[in-house]
Amino acid sequence: MVTQRKKYFFHHSTPVSLDKMREHKEPYTTEILNKELVVYPDVLSPHYDWSGIFHVRHLGNVGEKWVLDMGCGSGIIGLFAALNGAREVVATDINPSAVENAQENFKKYKLTNARAIESNLFFSVDGTFGLIIFNLPYHGAKANDFLEKAVSDENYDVMKQFLTQAKDYLTFSGEIQVGFSTSGDVDLLREEIVKNSYTIDKIYSESDRGYNCQLYVLGAGEQSKFAMLLDTRSASKELESSKSTSSTPAQEAMGKLLAISAQKIAAVRDF
């Protein structure tokens, strides 16, 4: 029996907002929560789409955390995370213009704890983070350009990949914040959350400008945390094994690398 895929469409408010963004042919500025941001023409604009503002309002305490802001767009969420004391913010986007846009906003506020890189999901990302942020595209329809990709993920393939991979980049006590909307396939989102063994710690929801925004705060479930502990113990065992046998210079060098790796794992798992 062949399972038919759902047919997804844009929310009625989405084309209107996108058309307003497309009217801009040059970079422009907008004031968001008392901060002036630069927005590039082919980047999702917080001036017309309020989901980023909603996320910032519920960002929570980011002090001293390593933060990954995925699908950063103009850099709005990463900017406020950096301004509010994050140890380091790595902002990523598949859209080169968005990466440049976020970097310009970080530079505008002379931030030394924030940088933007081009990456398709986690492809160019290294390390683990105490907070991983992704304001997910709400819709499951086909996207025809980068601007539409910011709001629509065909058949939610990106969302599924993100939730599958994110736990590998999360610290032991870290959290994931995903933005979504009741105009998207909420049932599918929750199925994927359960499938990947996350816990839903909080849900924020609000409606404005004719549509709804949600923010899911996720934790790694016990199964994922157990896997993290196994990774740490495995590194420690390799280190002890290298110490207990006579070593060549190359093996000694590897032992040192393993020691550094184990120390880093132990340090970041507690964040």
Side-chain angles (χ1 to χ4, degrees):
M1 182 179 178
V2 178
T3 303
Q4 288 188 336
R5 284 189 169 187
K6 285 186 180 181
K7 288 186 177 180
Y8 294 110
F9 304 93
F10 287 119
H11 186 264
H12 65 83
S13 66
T14 303
V16 177
S17 297
L18 294 180
D19 285 345
K20 289 179 180 178
M21 295 178 207
R22 289 192 177 103
E23 290 176 2
H24 295 274
K25 305 303 179 186
E26 299 291 336
Y28 57 101
T29 59
T30 183
E31 187 171 300
I32 303 296
L33 302 175
N34 299 317
K35 297 292 180 184
E36 185 181 80
L37 269 71
V38 177
V39 183
Y40 285 19
D42 53 350
V43 174
L44 188 70
S45 173
H47 182 76
Y48 302 106
D49 180 282
W50 68 283
S51 61
I53 300 170
F54 172 76
H55 199 137
V56 168
R57 285 174 176 160
H58 297 286
L59 193 56
N61 182 14
V62 296
E64 292 301 308
K65 288 184 179 179
W66 281 278
V67 177
L68 176 63
D69 177 16
M70 186 158 287
C72 64
S74 64
I76 174 176
I77 303 174
L79 173 71
F80 280 92
L83 289 172
N84 282 285
R87 182 172 295 189
E88 182 182 22
V89 174
V90 178
T92 76
D93 206 293
I94 196 173
N95 180 356
S97 293
V99 174
E100 186 178 344
N101 193 168
Q103 195 61 48
E104 180 169 340
N105 281 317
F106 297 159
K107 185 177 179 180
K108 181 181 178 71
Y109 288 93
K110 298 180 174 61
L111 295 174
T112 58
N113 59 336
R115 58 190 175 92
I117 61 171
E118 186 177 340
S119 183
N120 184 359
L121 289 175
F122 295 96
F123 186 80
S124 301
V125 175
D126 294 314
T128 54
F129 300 84
L131 174 60
I132 299 176
I133 296 165
F134 194 0
N135 192 17
L136 290 166
Y138 300 164
H139 311 299
K142 182 179 179 180
N144 296 305
D145 56 23
F146 278 128
L147 195 53
E148 289 187 2
K149 281 185 177 181
V151 298
S152 193
D153 166 20
E154 188 172 9
N155 297 312
Y156 295 100
D157 289 339
V158 170
M159 178 254 282
K160 294 171 187 174
Q161 291 177 53
F162 170 78
L163 289 172
T164 299
Q165 298 171 11
K167 62 176 73 73
D168 295 331
Y169 296 85
L170 192 65
T171 61
F172 186 76
S173 57
E175 70 178 33
I176 298 170
Q177 296 181 0
V178 291
F180 209 65
S181 172
T182 54
S183 63
D185 194 339
V186 174
D187 289 339
L188 178 61
L189 172 63
R190 295 195 180 200
E191 285 174 14
E192 291 296 319
I193 289 171
V194 171
K195 177 182 174 182
N196 288 282
S197 303
Y198 296 108
T199 58
I200 300 177
D201 298 334
K202 291 179 185 176
I203 302 175
Y204 300 98
S205 183
E206 188 177 324
S207 294
D208 194 11
R209 304 186 195 181
Y211 63 98
N212 166 268
C213 284
Q214 293 185 326
L215 179 64
Y216 288 74
V217 180
L218 310 179
E222 294 305 316
Q223 184 177 348
S224 298
K225 288 185 176 181
F226 183 66
M228 290 178 185
L229 284 172
L230 288 180
D231 288 343
T232 307
R233 289 170 183 170
S234 176
S236 297
K237 284 180 180 178
E238 288 187 55
L239 175 60
E240 290 303 317
S241 177
S242 69
K243 287 179 179 178
S244 64
T245 59
S246 56
S247 304
T248 65
Q251 288 172 328
E252 288 177 359
M254 179 59 71
K256 290 179 181 178
L257 287 174
L258 282 168
I260 294 170
S261 176
Q263 289 168 1
K264 285 184 176 180
I265 291 170
V268 299
R269 291 301 186 203
D270 293 331
F271 258 95

